[in-house]
Amino acid sequence: MERNNSKVKFAGNQVTLLGKEPKIGESAPEFTVLGNDLKPVKLTDFDGKIKVIAIYPSIDTSVCAAQNRRFNQEADKLDNVVVLSISCDLPFAQKRFCAAEGLNNIVTLSDHKDVDFGTKYGFLMEEFRLLARGTVIIGKDNKVKYVEYVPEVTEEPDYEKALEVVKELI
């Protein structure tokens, strides 16, 4: 498995990312994660839509909560776009958070069981078995259009840049 320890820091300390970084223009790797009902969910379940994958370490932190609120707010304004919010949190925690916050425009998905997404997209932090923060945008053609690994996991992603890419694809 590929390892990268030059891309991301967590609270100022370098972390090792496991997996292969997707490249713009490549076909998006298929992955399987768990939905809130504990049933498997695949990337291909969202074929025909623009997919914004919002990746974060844990729903129970302020930055991750802010990221999910922002993407939920933006998703409400976008047609034929789905926001897949992925972390290694248990599905129960994701569901609880969204219910408490009234977030209905994002699809929370758990990579906890197999870290299939994390390893196929190079977001798994080896030191914590959590996902690093970032954004991946996949077009209707299932090609990777945008990839952001947030350099410092404790900071928010570049929403404006990601949304600019999404609006170009609509």
Side-chain angles (χ1 to χ4, degrees):
M1 181 171 308
E2 289 185 36
R3 301 164 87 84
N4 184 321
N5 62 359
S6 65
K7 256 188 182 345
V8 172
K9 291 182 179 182
F10 187 93
N13 299 307
Q14 212 67 48
V15 293
T16 303
L17 298 181
L18 300 178
K20 184 177 186 293
E21 177 180 345
K23 303 290 183 211
I24 293 172
E26 288 181 347
S27 291
E30 178 69 281
F31 61 84
T32 303
V33 289
L34 292 178
N36 287 337
D37 58 1
L38 300 179
K39 292 183 180 165
V41 176
K42 296 177 181 271
L43 178 65
T44 50
D45 292 342
F46 303 96
D47 278 356
K49 293 186 177 270
I50 298 164
K51 294 154 285 286
V52 176
I53 305 177
I55 307 118
Y56 58 98
S58 175
I59 199 74
D60 290 317
T61 66
S62 61
V63 178
C64 298
Q67 179 179 351
N68 277 283
R69 287 184 200 109
R70 175 68 186 270
F71 276 119
N72 183 75
Q73 176 186 19
E74 297 297 338
D76 192 40
K77 306 172 197 170
L78 303 168
D79 289 328
N80 208 29
V81 175
V82 62
V83 176
L84 307 177
S85 178
I86 301 180
S87 72
C88 286
D89 288 306
L90 293 175
F92 314 112
Q94 294 171 329
K95 186 175 181 178
R96 172 190 41 79
F97 175 82
C98 288
E101 294 282 328
L103 305 184
N104 301 316
N105 300 317
I106 59 175
V107 178
T108 54
L109 300 167
S110 175
D111 201 25
H112 174 75
K113 185 175 178 235
D114 298 317
V115 291
D116 190 46
F117 170 83
T119 54
K120 288 182 177 173
Y121 284 74
F123 277 89
L124 182 62
M125 293 186 288
E126 181 178 40
E127 293 82 356
F128 305 112
R129 200 180 182 276
L130 296 172
L131 301 181
R133 186 176 318 285
T135 308
V136 175
I137 298 173
I138 300 168
K140 293 177 197 175
D141 60 359
N142 281 332
K143 301 280 187 198
V144 176
K145 306 296 184 181
Y146 175 82
V147 179
E148 177 193 16
Y149 290 84
V150 177
E152 172 53 64
V153 175
T154 60
E155 296 176 4
E156 292 182 59
D158 188 339
Y159 302 111
E160 284 68 33
K161 203 171 194 179
L163 291 167
E164 185 179 303
V165 172
V166 169
K167 289 173 183 171
E168 288 172 6
L169 295 172
I170 292 177

